[in-house]
Amino acid sequence: MENEERKRDNERKDAYLDQVANGLRADAKMKKNEGTRKSNKLWLWLGILILIFILLYWIFGIGTQEAIDGIDNGVQTEVATDAGI
């Protein structure tokens, strides 16, 4: 009779410990997912900022090059030739 009670107690303890362990695993997984979500958002915003910087650089780079070449609204205003210089 005592052996049966000990077995039941051990089974209850094992079941309780399994539930606690599963709960801890679930908590750890949720924390990991939260951290991953935050880092993904940071990488996304960093990528967006880099793309904006590249776009602005490209736009102003074209304008600067057109100003150097003497192009106004896509039309070359003065032609620089070797003979005319």
Side-chain angles (χ1 to χ4, degrees):
M1 194 136 149
E2 283 184 32
N3 286 337
E4 290 177 14
E5 289 178 18
R6 284 184 188 169
K7 285 182 183 178
R8 287 185 200 143
D9 284 343
N10 286 339
E11 287 176 3
R12 282 190 214 130
K13 286 179 186 178
D14 288 341
Y16 175 74
L17 292 175
D18 285 342
Q19 287 177 351
V20 170
N22 288 337
L24 291 174
R25 283 189 203 114
D27 289 343
K29 190 172 185 177
M30 287 186 342
K31 285 181 183 178
K32 180 183 176 188
N33 287 342
E34 185 68 27
T36 303
R37 190 176 305 126
K38 287 180 182 177
S39 67
N40 285 346
K41 284 183 182 180
L42 288 174
W43 281 111
L44 179 66
W45 281 110
L46 179 64
I48 289 171
L49 290 175
I50 289 172
L51 287 174
I52 289 172
F53 175 76
I54 290 170
L55 179 67
L56 291 175
Y57 180 78
W58 180 64
I59 288 171
F60 287 110
I62 288 174
T64 304
Q65 185 63 39
E66 286 181 352
I68 291 170
D69 291 340
I71 298 173
D72 189 23
N73 289 329
V75 178
Q76 193 160 2
T77 54
E78 60 182 61
V79 178
T81 62
D82 291 335
I85 294 177

